[in-house]
Amino acid sequence: MAMKLAAAFFLLVLFSCSVPEPSPYNVLLSGQPSIAGEPQYLQSPFVTAGDRVYLVGHQDGSFPDLGWHVLGEMGGIWNHPIKLMDGFSASLTATRSGNSFCLNQADGFINYPVGNQHHFTWNEEGIEVQRFQFVPDGWEGMIVEYTIANTSSVTKQLDFAFTGLVDLRPTWLGERTNMLDAEDEISFDKKVSAVVAKDKNNPWYVLFGSALKANDFSSNAVCETERKGLGKNGTLTYELSLQPGSMKVIQFFIAGSYKSEAAARETFSFLKNMGAIELDQKIDHYKQIKATANLIIPDKEVEQMYEWLKYNTEWLVRTVPEQGSAVSAGLPDYPWWFGADMTYALQGVLATGNHELAKQSIELLSKISQLTNGNGGIIHEVSTNGAVFNAGNVNETAQYITMLKLYADWAGDKELIIQLFPEVKKGIAWLTKTMDPDGNGYPNGNGMMEIHGLDTEMIDVVAYTQQALASAAVLAGWVGEPQLAMEYQQQADELKRKINAEWWNDQEKSFGDFRGIVAEAKPIVAAALVRADTLGKPWAVKELKSTEQKMKTYASGKHFPFVVYHNWVVNTPMETGVADQVKAKAALQTAKKYENPFGVYVTGIDRSDEPDSVVLKSRKKTFSYTGAVMTLPTGVQAVAAATYGATNEALGYIKKLQQSFSYALPGSMYEVSPDFGMVVQAWNIYGVAVPIIRSFFGIEPRAMEEQILLSPHLPDAWPEAAIDQVKVGANSISIKIFKNPEYIEYQLQQSKPDWKWLIDVQGFKKIVVNEAEESVSSTRLTRSGASLVVRLYK
């Protein structure tokens, strides 16, 4: 279905044209994964990206002002730390009739991992147009290709006009590094038949043009739309003659630089000569992404979502040589780097095999955090010019430490751990001493919830700190500090005990949003009441008033775990495995009250009792994060359920995520379910890849020890499943699982036969390995070898 428009278009041309002019790019795209968009979402954003440059526009082919971080400027073509263009427009004019047609109202959109296509139909003149664009990796530029087909029975003389909507301007927070926008200057270089533009006061350049010679240049825009900024227009016009059934291909090359005109010209020349080769290489790169940690399961919808989330992550790789290369948070408004977002996203990145991206991301985050804080604290948000907006929330330092441990588990990179372990020690000291002024074991400060007043002792900060202490203990052991490892582990064990004893609210069957005394809780409850009343949530108002009454009976100086907002972070003790089994089971059940068909509410008191169709319709009018169901809370809940063996429930949350996949942008999943916020978001891979790989397939990597622990727990709906080429250090493993009423069979392969499999065999009566029966003498079977077939009889 996805290729229907494109296939029909090219079949028409190929069978009706005696001497067709084939498009090399569309030939290369044949057979590549693709998903077609929905007509009702043509006026919504799409993304095509390389690691240096990316493009954001609308699926209908237009480029309206988008975004709020820099108001109206987050769309278009970006080469961070600068923007190159607000986009481009194109039109056709039939010289005989004088009719014109703007290519900004596409009737079809197809997304590929490597680029996108828009289809236009000019019925009046019998013309069909297909626009394709992609961004080569490693280069400061991109290529746009128009294929124009004459489907009529008469020869067409056409003027094709292409307008570059130049807007050279700095990234968000540019003023902090003396990046000040000025008016753009524009000219035409006849020698290369290209438009050259420069910011008047800065060495910021963009060039665009075609391999064809333009017949005319002007500063007037075709299909002009209103846009912000100090940019200029540059229009190139070409005369085309199309016989009946023929087609013409025009490729445009857009190149930029924030250093020099010479660099932009070099990129422009390279793209003109090497575009097809670059696209072919990009296709091969994405084939390798698919092949690595390749998932094969009965549920093809989940399988497809998993595959495309790997592609989504690649779209978000942002390389700025002065800063480094790392996975950014989301597009269009978060194209830079975040501490917390990285710590979630990289868990999925590691599991799906991109260990190098994880390392680069860790190095960038570590470098900027050390320069900014110097105390082990991890920054929250940094723009692509290196300007830090927020030096860090408390949870991010804890999550960073755990991320280092997980990185080493997957990659086996002891060298990086040794290099960064001094920062781990600083980070633990900062968490447990500096940020815990009363010495009760609970760091104070902001966690994931951006709600005023929630900055005392927060459940997510505490849960992630416990996890960080346990992770730091392992890291200390690896770097040869056994005494410190023991101290960290003792602290982790004690904090786990305290969380279960002092943060559990048995009346609510939930861990508290925060812990404090009545005086601290009163203004928070009052603010929640205002929110609930304003949003028209009578059930929440009633509950909060009841909480106010209960507080009157509490001892004034005693600390209590307060459940006020029912924020998603109350589930972090299950996500991290901190909660004991009884509390986890009860809390997971409580959490079901605060979800809808698309997932988990960010703030539980925002839950709507109205039909989802009514809620979605009203939200479209005035977008707000208030009342949001987001992919991260839903993903955390999938991880939490899977952590406690509730694989069917975990799959249920993954299926909720799948409800948002391709809902608006084909091949992607929005930040806010189903179609709000960022159109592609880095942390989405966390809630899908981690429970599937870590829990369903039961892979616990131990690359530092050259071991793989295996304890699969497939959902009931999956009688068989396979995952191929999972990277663990220098090893590559593949696992196939078959279930039947009598036994479970594991077919295991690895590229490093000396590595050990440690297989969980607890609860099985008979074990057969490579057709030889083994005695059941332990809860774990240890074997090495390139290939194993293990049958576990019930």
Side-chain angles (χ1 to χ4, degrees), residues 782-793:
T782 302
R783 288 290 184 275
S784 56
S787 180
L788 292 173
V789 177
V790 179
R791 282 188 179 179
L792 304 177
Y793 287 83

Side-chain angles (χ1 to χ4, degrees), residues 38 55 147 171 360 381 397 517 612 640 654 691 792:
E38 298 292 339
L55 168 74
T147 304
T171 186
Q360 291 171 342
E381 182 176 10
T397 299
I517 61 176
D612 296 305
I654 292 171
L792 304 177

Side-chain angles (χ1 to χ4, degrees), residues 406-427:
L406 292 171
Y407 168 73
D409 282 338
W410 280 105
D413 185 354
K414 187 174 182 179
E415 183 179 346
L416 185 63
I417 299 306
I418 292 172
Q419 176 188 330
L420 294 177
F421 190 69
E423 296 303 310
V424 171
K425 291 195 287 187
K426 288 181 186 178

Side-chain angles (χ1 to χ4, degrees), residues 477-531:
W478 284 334
V479 301
E481 296 199 33
Q483 181 61 36
L484 188 60
M486 185 172 66
E487 291 173 10
Y488 284 159
Q489 189 59 55
Q490 287 173 346
Q491 287 179 270
D493 293 343
E494 175 60 12
L495 186 52
K496 183 174 183 177
R497 184 196 66 77
K498 290 184 63 167
I499 291 171
N500 281 283
E502 298 180 357
W503 282 80
W504 179 252
N505 188 316
D506 200 52
Q507 288 184 331
E508 299 287 349
K509 300 299 180 188
S510 170
F511 287 92
D513 293 299
F514 67 97
R515 185 175 178 274
I517 61 176
V518 171
E520 293 170 328
K522 279 183 177 180
I524 296 173
V525 174
L529 260 170
V530 171
R531 177 174 178 144

Side-chain angles (χ1 to χ4, degrees), residues 167-488:
D167 187 11
L168 292 155
R169 61 149 298 125
T171 186
W172 181 58
L173 304 183
E175 69 281 358
R176 295 193 182 181
T177 55
N178 203 32
M179 298 179 71
L180 303 177
D181 193 19
E183 189 175 353
D184 296 336
E185 300 172 332
I186 199 163
S187 62
F188 179 65
D189 185 331
K190 290 184 179 180
K191 185 176 180 180
V192 294
S193 195
V195 174
V196 182
K198 178 188 182 296
D199 181 277
K200 187 176 181 179
N201 294 341
N202 296 283
W204 307 337
Y205 294 86
V206 64
L207 278 75
F208 62 88
S210 174
L212 299 178
K213 294 293 183 183
N215 299 103
D216 187 42
F217 162 74
S218 77
S219 58
N220 299 319
V222 300
C223 314
E224 189 167 3
T225 57
E226 292 185 9
R227 60 191 182 108
K228 296 179 180 294
L230 302 174
K232 293 287 180 66
N233 302 318
T235 298
L236 301 171
T237 304
Y238 306 83
E239 295 177 358
L240 308 178
S241 179
L242 277 80
Q243 296 179 353
S246 69
M247 71 177 181
K248 185 72 176 179
V249 176
I250 307 178
Q251 294 166 348
F252 288 90
F253 310 96
I254 301 169
S257 173
Y258 51 89
K259 293 290 185 64
S260 70
E261 181 177 349
R265 286 183 177 274
E266 180 185 353
T267 299
F268 182 77
S269 176
F270 176 86
L271 295 177
K272 280 206 298 185
N273 292 303
M274 303 295 287
I277 293 173
E278 284 295 310
L279 178 57
D280 193 39
Q281 290 178 347
K282 187 154 189 163
I283 289 170
D284 285 345
H285 176 59
Y286 275 80
K287 285 180 179 177
Q288 187 57 46
I289 290 172
K290 172 176 168 48
T292 304
N294 186 43
L295 181 68
I296 304 165
I297 55 175
D299 190 330
K300 295 306 173 184
E301 291 180 336
V302 170
E303 184 181 304
Q304 183 188 53
M305 173 178 64
Y306 168 92
E307 175 187 337
W308 279 79
L309 287 175
K310 293 194 288 181
Y311 303 151
N312 291 178
T313 302
E314 194 71 9
W315 301 347
L316 291 171
V317 176
R318 195 62 44 238
T319 299
V320 180
E322 293 77 12
Q323 312 302 333
S325 185
V327 62
S328 60
L331 291 172
D333 269 290
Y334 301 119
W336 36 78
W337 305 293
F338 287 74
D341 297 59
M342 249 187 238
T343 63
Y344 292 109
L346 291 186
Q347 294 185 56
V349 168
L350 286 165
T352 53
N354 198 339
H355 298 175
E356 183 60 28
L357 173 60
K359 180 176 183 176
Q360 291 171 342
S361 299
I362 289 168
E363 288 175 331
L364 180 145
L365 186 59
S366 302
K367 178 186 75 173
I368 294 174
S369 295
Q370 288 172 36
L371 290 171
T372 302
N373 295 320
N375 59 2
I378 298 300
I379 61 103
H380 173 65
E381 182 176 10
V382 57
S383 190
T384 50
N385 62 339
V388 173
F389 178 70
N390 179 339
N393 297 324
V394 183
N395 60 293
E396 285 160 307
T397 299
Q399 290 176 280
Y400 167 84
I401 293 167
T402 295
M403 179 176 67
L404 289 183
K405 188 262 184 186
L406 292 171
Y407 168 73
D409 282 338
W410 280 105
D413 185 354
K414 187 174 182 179
E415 183 179 346
L416 185 63
I417 299 306
I418 292 172
Q419 176 188 330
L420 294 177
F421 190 69
E423 296 303 310
V424 171
K425 291 195 287 187
K426 288 181 186 178
I428 292 292
W430 183 76
L431 286 167
T432 59
K433 294 183 174 63
T434 306
M435 299 310 295
D436 183 19
D438 61 6
N440 67 353
Y442 306 135
N444 290 15
N446 294 98
M448 287 295 294
M449 295 308 303
E450 296 176 346
I451 294 178
H452 181 70
L454 294 183
D455 57 1
T456 55
E457 293 177 353
M458 306 304 302
I459 184 59
D460 54 326
V461 171
V462 174
Y464 290 139
T465 297
Q466 192 282 335
Q467 191 180 37
L469 285 164
S471 297
V474 177
L475 294 170
W478 284 334
V479 301
E481 296 199 33
Q483 181 61 36
L484 188 60
M486 185 172 66
E487 291 173 10
Y488 284 159

Side-chain angles (χ1 to χ4, degrees), residues 97-109:
S97 66
N99 294 330
S100 292
F101 182 67
C102 284
L103 299 173
N104 60 4
Q105 295 182 10
D107 50 44
F109 175 81

